[in-house]
Amino acid sequence: MRIAIVQYETRDNEDLNMLMDRNRIYAHKHNYDYILRRDPYRDLPPYWAKVRMLQEVFDNNNYDAVLMLDSDACIHDHDTKVEDILNKYPNKSFLYSPDCPVWDGVFNAGVVLVSNPHGPQIIQDWMSLYNPERWTLDDSKATWTCQGNWAGIDYEQGAFAHHMIENNEYRLKRYLQEVPSVFFQGPFAKDRYLGPQFSIHFAGSEHKGLMKQYIKDPRFMERYCRHRNWIWIWIVVLVLVALFGFAIVHIAKVAQPKARSWQRPVRRMIV
């Protein structure tokens, strides 16, 4: 099986470069091709450029599967092979995970695993959703602006979610497969305590500080998860103790015998 790890990044950022190096090391360990494109697509915003790149990788090479990661995502588990993931989901050609809980979307485009036979067509359908009339390039700043909402249907992420995942009429929907968000997104996912983590996606400014610590020591994320686990365990314990105490007080009040009528003190009227 011929497999490629693909990334698109035109910025020269030290932290992102170090994350991408981890992906390069993973690819070489398992004899996968590693493809990093640095040259920008002049006619596409960067959000859609990675979809175009994914399309070209399939069109120009004979790959059985392609794993694409954003530059702020890296493979954490270097022992799990791409073939292992594909074998877990037979007859599926596009594996993805939901968004981080900060945004609570059904799809995050930061990590996707695409394979034959239907993957190339799914990518082509995805790319066809790009609407150039909704985007404007500022040549002086080399930046793109969109008329639509952030991550909405004019962006690659919102377009895929709306037109392909949430659209029951999409003809290739049965070949899409959602995987646990913790598996692709890492400990920032909703189910971060319920399974293994293949990759970690440091999406959004909320997680960039953690990214720097992870680069210094990848084992930091394991300590981070354990710390978060203990915090939640203590919260659950405190809530249970409070509920138990409330229940004891309530039972005591209900069980307290009421004074019978002949036991009640008689008030005498003073004339």
PDB file of all heavy atoms in Angstrom, residues 101-128:
ATOM      1  N   PRO A 101     -14.453  21.073  21.027  1.00  0.00           N
ATOM      2  CA  PRO A 101     -15.660  21.535  21.727  1.00  0.00           C
ATOM      3  C   PRO A 101     -15.776  23.046  21.831  1.00  0.00           C
ATOM      4  O   PRO A 101     -16.856  23.561  22.084  1.00  0.00           O
ATOM      5  CB  PRO A 101     -15.530  20.888  23.114  1.00  0.00           C
ATOM      6  CG  PRO A 101     -14.095  20.558  23.253  1.00  0.00           C
ATOM      7  CD  PRO A 101     -13.604  20.243  21.871  1.00  0.00           C
ATOM      8  N   VAL A 102     -14.660  23.754  21.593  1.00  0.00           N
ATOM      9  CA  VAL A 102     -14.729  25.217  21.614  1.00  0.00           C
ATOM     10  C   VAL A 102     -15.689  25.718  20.549  1.00  0.00           C
ATOM     11  O   VAL A 102     -16.405  26.695  20.740  1.00  0.00           O
ATOM     12  CB  VAL A 102     -13.320  25.823  21.395  1.00  0.00           C
ATOM     13  CG1 VAL A 102     -13.386  27.336  21.334  1.00  0.00           C
ATOM     14  CG2 VAL A 102     -12.378  25.374  22.509  1.00  0.00           C
ATOM     15  N   TRP A 103     -15.716  25.012  19.408  1.00  0.00           N
ATOM     16  CA  TRP A 103     -16.588  25.428  18.297  1.00  0.00           C
ATOM     17  C   TRP A 103     -17.742  24.457  18.071  1.00  0.00           C
ATOM     18  O   TRP A 103     -18.732  24.824  17.458  1.00  0.00           O
ATOM     19  CB  TRP A 103     -15.746  25.559  17.033  1.00  0.00           C
ATOM     20  CG  TRP A 103     -14.620  26.518  17.237  1.00  0.00           C
ATOM     21  CD1 TRP A 103     -14.697  27.880  17.294  1.00  0.00           C
ATOM     22  CD2 TRP A 103     -13.247  26.192  17.455  1.00  0.00           C
ATOM     23  NE1 TRP A 103     -13.459  28.414  17.525  1.00  0.00           N
ATOM     24  CE2 TRP A 103     -12.546  27.417  17.634  1.00  0.00           C
ATOM     25  CE3 TRP A 103     -12.540  24.995  17.530  1.00  0.00           C
ATOM     26  CZ2 TRP A 103     -11.177  27.462  17.870  1.00  0.00           C
ATOM     27  CZ3 TRP A 103     -11.174  25.048  17.770  1.00  0.00           C
ATOM     28  CH2 TRP A 103     -10.505  26.261  17.931  1.00  0.00           C
ATOM     29  N   ASP A 104     -17.607  23.238  18.513  1.00  0.00           N
ATOM     30  CA  ASP A 104     -18.714  22.283  18.520  1.00  0.00           C
ATOM     31  C   ASP A 104     -19.273  22.020  17.126  1.00  0.00           C
ATOM     32  O   ASP A 104     -20.483  21.934  16.932  1.00  0.00           O
ATOM     33  CB  ASP A 104     -19.825  22.783  19.452  1.00  0.00           C
ATOM     34  CG  ASP A 104     -20.761  21.659  19.850  1.00  0.00           C
ATOM     35  OD1 ASP A 104     -20.290  20.510  19.904  1.00  0.00           O
ATOM     36  OD2 ASP A 104     -21.952  21.926  20.102  1.00  0.00           O
ATOM     37  N   GLY A 105     -18.391  21.876  16.136  1.00  0.00           N
ATOM     38  CA  GLY A 105     -18.839  21.570  14.783  1.00  0.00           C
ATOM     39  C   GLY A 105     -18.796  20.080  14.509  1.00  0.00           C
ATOM     40  O   GLY A 105     -18.160  19.303  15.223  1.00  0.00           O
ATOM     41  N   VAL A 106     -19.457  19.664  13.433  1.00  0.00           N
ATOM     42  CA  VAL A 106     -19.499  18.244  13.095  1.00  0.00           C
ATOM     43  C   VAL A 106     -18.254  17.796  12.337  1.00  0.00           C
ATOM     44  O   VAL A 106     -18.046  16.597  12.136  1.00  0.00           O
ATOM     45  CB  VAL A 106     -20.756  17.919  12.257  1.00  0.00           C
ATOM     46  CG1 VAL A 106     -22.030  18.234  13.027  1.00  0.00           C
ATOM     47  CG2 VAL A 106     -20.730  18.670  10.919  1.00  0.00           C
ATOM     48  N   PHE A 107     -17.415  18.758  11.919  1.00  0.00           N
ATOM     49  CA  PHE A 107     -16.269  18.416  11.083  1.00  0.00           C
ATOM     50  C   PHE A 107     -15.117  19.361  11.349  1.00  0.00           C
ATOM     51  O   PHE A 107     -15.305  20.578  11.444  1.00  0.00           O
ATOM     52  CB  PHE A 107     -16.667  18.484   9.603  1.00  0.00           C
ATOM     53  CG  PHE A 107     -15.518  18.317   8.642  1.00  0.00           C
ATOM     54  CD1 PHE A 107     -14.839  17.114   8.554  1.00  0.00           C
ATOM     55  CD2 PHE A 107     -15.141  19.357   7.809  1.00  0.00           C
ATOM     56  CE1 PHE A 107     -13.789  16.956   7.653  1.00  0.00           C
ATOM     57  CE2 PHE A 107     -14.102  19.210   6.897  1.00  0.00           C
ATOM     58  CZ  PHE A 107     -13.421  18.008   6.823  1.00  0.00           C
ATOM     59  N   ASN A 108     -13.915  18.791  11.494  1.00  0.00           N
ATOM     60  CA  ASN A 108     -12.700  19.585  11.584  1.00  0.00           C
ATOM     61  C   ASN A 108     -11.779  19.151  10.461  1.00  0.00           C
ATOM     62  O   ASN A 108     -11.439  17.961  10.340  1.00  0.00           O
ATOM     63  CB  ASN A 108     -12.021  19.392  12.944  1.00  0.00           C
ATOM     64  CG  ASN A 108     -10.842  20.335  13.140  1.00  0.00           C
ATOM     65  OD1 ASN A 108      -9.846  20.244  12.437  1.00  0.00           O
ATOM     66  ND2 ASN A 108     -10.964  21.230  14.098  1.00  0.00           N
ATOM     67  N   ALA A 109     -11.383  20.119   9.639  1.00  0.00           N
ATOM     68  CA  ALA A 109     -10.580  19.812   8.459  1.00  0.00           C
ATOM     69  C   ALA A 109      -9.093  19.712   8.769  1.00  0.00           C
ATOM     70  O   ALA A 109      -8.285  19.542   7.858  1.00  0.00           O
ATOM     71  CB  ALA A 109     -10.813  20.882   7.387  1.00  0.00           C
ATOM     72  N   GLY A 110      -8.715  19.791  10.042  1.00  0.00           N
ATOM     73  CA  GLY A 110      -7.301  19.794  10.407  1.00  0.00           C
ATOM     74  C   GLY A 110      -6.602  18.469  10.227  1.00  0.00           C
ATOM     75  O   GLY A 110      -5.386  18.420   9.994  1.00  0.00           O
ATOM     76  N   VAL A 111      -7.364  17.366  10.329  1.00  0.00           N
ATOM     77  CA  VAL A 111      -6.793  16.026  10.136  1.00  0.00           C
ATOM     78  C   VAL A 111      -7.821  15.182   9.396  1.00  0.00           C
ATOM     79  O   VAL A 111      -8.919  14.955   9.906  1.00  0.00           O
ATOM     80  CB  VAL A 111      -6.445  15.347  11.483  1.00  0.00           C
ATOM     81  CG1 VAL A 111      -5.818  13.978  11.230  1.00  0.00           C
ATOM     82  CG2 VAL A 111      -5.511  16.218  12.315  1.00  0.00           C
ATOM     83  N   VAL A 112      -7.468  14.724   8.203  1.00  0.00           N
ATOM     84  CA  VAL A 112      -8.354  13.840   7.436  1.00  0.00           C
ATOM     85  C   VAL A 112      -7.514  12.742   6.799  1.00  0.00           C
ATOM     86  O   VAL A 112      -6.358  12.966   6.411  1.00  0.00           O
ATOM     87  CB  VAL A 112      -9.155  14.593   6.351  1.00  0.00           C
ATOM     88  CG1 VAL A 112     -10.110  15.594   6.976  1.00  0.00           C
ATOM     89  CG2 VAL A 112      -8.225  15.285   5.367  1.00  0.00           C
ATOM     90  N   LEU A 113      -8.108  11.567   6.688  1.00  0.00           N
ATOM     91  CA  LEU A 113      -7.445  10.429   6.053  1.00  0.00           C
ATOM     92  C   LEU A 113      -8.308   9.977   4.878  1.00  0.00           C
ATOM     93  O   LEU A 113      -9.450   9.545   5.066  1.00  0.00           O
ATOM     94  CB  LEU A 113      -7.254   9.298   7.062  1.00  0.00           C
ATOM     95  CG  LEU A 113      -6.646   7.990   6.540  1.00  0.00           C
ATOM     96  CD1 LEU A 113      -5.328   8.238   5.817  1.00  0.00           C
ATOM     97  CD2 LEU A 113      -6.452   7.003   7.685  1.00  0.00           C
ATOM     98  N   VAL A 114      -7.758  10.099   3.686  1.00  0.00           N
ATOM     99  CA  VAL A 114      -8.506   9.846   2.453  1.00  0.00           C
ATOM    100  C   VAL A 114      -7.883   8.654   1.732  1.00  0.00           C
ATOM    101  O   VAL A 114      -6.655   8.539   1.638  1.00  0.00           O
ATOM    102  CB  VAL A 114      -8.489  11.087   1.542  1.00  0.00           C
ATOM    103  CG1 VAL A 114      -9.426  10.889   0.363  1.00  0.00           C
ATOM    104  CG2 VAL A 114      -8.850  12.339   2.323  1.00  0.00           C
ATOM    105  N   SER A 115      -8.729   7.773   1.210  1.00  0.00           N
ATOM    106  CA  SER A 115      -8.210   6.574   0.550  1.00  0.00           C
ATOM    107  C   SER A 115      -9.067   6.208  -0.650  1.00  0.00           C
ATOM    108  O   SER A 115     -10.197   6.684  -0.822  1.00  0.00           O
ATOM    109  CB  SER A 115      -8.167   5.403   1.547  1.00  0.00           C
ATOM    110  OG  SER A 115      -9.464   5.110   2.042  1.00  0.00           O
ATOM    111  N   ASN A 116      -8.506   5.333  -1.462  1.00  0.00           N
ATOM    112  CA  ASN A 116      -9.240   4.787  -2.603  1.00  0.00           C
ATOM    113  C   ASN A 116     -10.255   3.751  -2.117  1.00  0.00           C
ATOM    114  O   ASN A 116     -10.137   3.236  -1.012  1.00  0.00           O
ATOM    115  CB  ASN A 116      -8.247   4.144  -3.577  1.00  0.00           C
ATOM    116  CG  ASN A 116      -7.493   5.187  -4.380  1.00  0.00           C
ATOM    117  OD1 ASN A 116      -8.075   6.144  -4.869  1.00  0.00           O
ATOM    118  ND2 ASN A 116      -6.178   5.008  -4.490  1.00  0.00           N
ATOM    119  N   PRO A 117     -11.283   3.466  -2.894  1.00  0.00           N
ATOM    120  CA  PRO A 117     -11.461   3.924  -4.274  1.00  0.00           C
ATOM    121  C   PRO A 117     -12.241   5.234  -4.426  1.00  0.00           C
ATOM    122  O   PRO A 117     -12.215   5.849  -5.496  1.00  0.00           O
ATOM    123  CB  PRO A 117     -12.245   2.776  -4.901  1.00  0.00           C
ATOM    124  CG  PRO A 117     -13.072   2.240  -3.773  1.00  0.00           C
ATOM    125  CD  PRO A 117     -12.229   2.368  -2.541  1.00  0.00           C
ATOM    126  N   HIS A 118     -12.933   5.684  -3.379  1.00  0.00           N
ATOM    127  CA  HIS A 118     -13.834   6.820  -3.541  1.00  0.00           C
ATOM    128  C   HIS A 118     -13.250   8.142  -3.035  1.00  0.00           C
ATOM    129  O   HIS A 118     -13.859   9.194  -3.245  1.00  0.00           O
ATOM    130  CB  HIS A 118     -15.151   6.538  -2.820  1.00  0.00           C
ATOM    131  CG  HIS A 118     -15.833   5.278  -3.246  1.00  0.00           C
ATOM    132  ND1 HIS A 118     -16.469   5.154  -4.454  1.00  0.00           N
ATOM    133  CD2 HIS A 118     -15.955   4.064  -2.630  1.00  0.00           C
ATOM    134  CE1 HIS A 118     -16.965   3.935  -4.571  1.00  0.00           C
ATOM    135  NE2 HIS A 118     -16.668   3.245  -3.477  1.00  0.00           N
ATOM    136  N   GLY A 119     -12.098   8.074  -2.388  1.00  0.00           N
ATOM    137  CA  GLY A 119     -11.508   9.284  -1.833  1.00  0.00           C
ATOM    138  C   GLY A 119     -11.250  10.386  -2.849  1.00  0.00           C
ATOM    139  O   GLY A 119     -11.625  11.548  -2.619  1.00  0.00           O
ATOM    140  N   PRO A 120     -10.614  10.088  -3.996  1.00  0.00           N
ATOM    141  CA  PRO A 120     -10.364  11.147  -4.975  1.00  0.00           C
ATOM    142  C   PRO A 120     -11.629  11.856  -5.445  1.00  0.00           C
ATOM    143  O   PRO A 120     -11.625  13.080  -5.628  1.00  0.00           O
ATOM    144  CB  PRO A 120      -9.683  10.390  -6.125  1.00  0.00           C
ATOM    145  CG  PRO A 120      -9.011   9.228  -5.453  1.00  0.00           C
ATOM    146  CD  PRO A 120      -9.956   8.820  -4.360  1.00  0.00           C
ATOM    147  N   GLN A 121     -12.719  11.110  -5.635  1.00  0.00           N
ATOM    148  CA  GLN A 121     -13.973  11.746  -6.065  1.00  0.00           C
ATOM    149  C   GLN A 121     -14.553  12.614  -4.952  1.00  0.00           C
ATOM    150  O   GLN A 121     -15.109  13.692  -5.204  1.00  0.00           O
ATOM    151  CB  GLN A 121     -14.984  10.684  -6.477  1.00  0.00           C
ATOM    152  CG  GLN A 121     -16.286  11.254  -7.012  1.00  0.00           C
ATOM    153  CD  GLN A 121     -16.087  12.122  -8.243  1.00  0.00           C
ATOM    154  OE1 GLN A 121     -15.481  11.670  -9.218  1.00  0.00           O
ATOM    155  NE2 GLN A 121     -16.575  13.363  -8.195  1.00  0.00           N
ATOM    156  N   ILE A 122     -14.425  12.171  -3.712  1.00  0.00           N
ATOM    157  CA  ILE A 122     -14.903  12.974  -2.582  1.00  0.00           C
ATOM    158  C   ILE A 122     -14.133  14.285  -2.521  1.00  0.00           C
ATOM    159  O   ILE A 122     -14.724  15.358  -2.304  1.00  0.00           O
ATOM    160  CB  ILE A 122     -14.757  12.176  -1.271  1.00  0.00           C
ATOM    161  CG1 ILE A 122     -15.722  10.989  -1.265  1.00  0.00           C
ATOM    162  CG2 ILE A 122     -15.015  13.075  -0.062  1.00  0.00           C
ATOM    163  CD1 ILE A 122     -15.531  10.046  -0.092  1.00  0.00           C
ATOM    164  N   ILE A 123     -12.819  14.233  -2.739  1.00  0.00           N
ATOM    165  CA  ILE A 123     -12.007  15.452  -2.729  1.00  0.00           C
ATOM    166  C   ILE A 123     -12.410  16.365  -3.882  1.00  0.00           C
ATOM    167  O   ILE A 123     -12.499  17.594  -3.728  1.00  0.00           O
ATOM    168  CB  ILE A 123     -10.511  15.101  -2.825  1.00  0.00           C
ATOM    169  CG1 ILE A 123     -10.087  14.282  -1.604  1.00  0.00           C
ATOM    170  CG2 ILE A 123      -9.669  16.367  -2.923  1.00  0.00           C
ATOM    171  CD1 ILE A 123     -10.330  14.955  -0.285  1.00  0.00           C
ATOM    172  N   GLN A 124     -12.683  15.783  -5.044  1.00  0.00           N
ATOM    173  CA  GLN A 124     -13.119  16.589  -6.183  1.00  0.00           C
ATOM    174  C   GLN A 124     -14.450  17.268  -5.893  1.00  0.00           C
ATOM    175  O   GLN A 124     -14.640  18.449  -6.209  1.00  0.00           O
ATOM    176  CB  GLN A 124     -13.223  15.704  -7.432  1.00  0.00           C
ATOM    177  CG  GLN A 124     -13.587  16.472  -8.693  1.00  0.00           C
ATOM    178  CD  GLN A 124     -13.563  15.587  -9.938  1.00  0.00           C
ATOM    179  OE1 GLN A 124     -12.875  14.568  -9.972  1.00  0.00           O
ATOM    180  NE2 GLN A 124     -14.321  15.979 -10.955  1.00  0.00           N
ATOM    181  N   ASP A 125     -15.368  16.547  -5.282  1.00  0.00           N
ATOM    182  CA  ASP A 125     -16.659  17.139  -4.911  1.00  0.00           C
ATOM    183  C   ASP A 125     -16.472  18.259  -3.890  1.00  0.00           C
ATOM    184  O   ASP A 125     -17.157  19.283  -3.943  1.00  0.00           O
ATOM    185  CB  ASP A 125     -17.577  16.061  -4.334  1.00  0.00           C
ATOM    186  CG  ASP A 125     -17.962  15.022  -5.358  1.00  0.00           C
ATOM    187  OD1 ASP A 125     -17.794  15.270  -6.568  1.00  0.00           O
ATOM    188  OD2 ASP A 125     -18.416  13.928  -4.946  1.00  0.00           O
ATOM    189  N   TRP A 126     -15.562  18.044  -2.973  1.00  0.00           N
ATOM    190  CA  TRP A 126     -15.271  19.061  -1.952  1.00  0.00           C
ATOM    191  C   TRP A 126     -14.727  20.324  -2.603  1.00  0.00           C
ATOM    192  O   TRP A 126     -15.189  21.433  -2.314  1.00  0.00           O
ATOM    193  CB  TRP A 126     -14.258  18.472  -0.979  1.00  0.00           C
ATOM    194  CG  TRP A 126     -13.998  19.273   0.268  1.00  0.00           C
ATOM    195  CD1 TRP A 126     -14.657  20.406   0.677  1.00  0.00           C
ATOM    196  CD2 TRP A 126     -13.017  18.995   1.273  1.00  0.00           C
ATOM    197  NE1 TRP A 126     -14.144  20.850   1.872  1.00  0.00           N
ATOM    198  CE2 TRP A 126     -13.134  19.995   2.258  1.00  0.00           C
ATOM    199  CE3 TRP A 126     -12.061  18.002   1.436  1.00  0.00           C
ATOM    200  CZ2 TRP A 126     -12.313  20.036   3.396  1.00  0.00           C
ATOM    201  CZ3 TRP A 126     -11.248  18.026   2.562  1.00  0.00           C
ATOM    202  CH2 TRP A 126     -11.375  19.024   3.526  1.00  0.00           C
ATOM    203  N   MET A 127     -13.784  20.165  -3.504  1.00  0.00           N
ATOM    204  CA  MET A 127     -13.161  21.321  -4.151  1.00  0.00           C
ATOM    205  C   MET A 127     -14.166  22.087  -5.005  1.00  0.00           C
ATOM    206  O   MET A 127     -14.070  23.307  -5.155  1.00  0.00           O
ATOM    207  CB  MET A 127     -11.982  20.854  -5.014  1.00  0.00           C
ATOM    208  CG  MET A 127     -11.087  21.979  -5.504  1.00  0.00           C
ATOM    209  SD  MET A 127     -10.222  22.823  -4.163  1.00  0.00           S
ATOM    210  CE  MET A 127     -10.494  24.542  -4.614  1.00  0.00           C
ATOM    211  N   SER A 128     -15.148  21.385  -5.541  1.00  0.00           N
ATOM    212  CA  SER A 128     -16.146  22.034  -6.400  1.00  0.00           C
ATOM    213  C   SER A 128     -17.034  23.009  -5.615  1.00  0.00           C
ATOM    214  O   SER A 128     -17.738  23.827  -6.217  1.00  0.00           O
ATOM    215  CB  SER A 128     -17.019  20.975  -7.077  1.00  0.00           C
ATOM    216  OG  SER A 128     -17.867  20.322  -6.134  1.00  0.00           O
TER     217      SER A 128
END
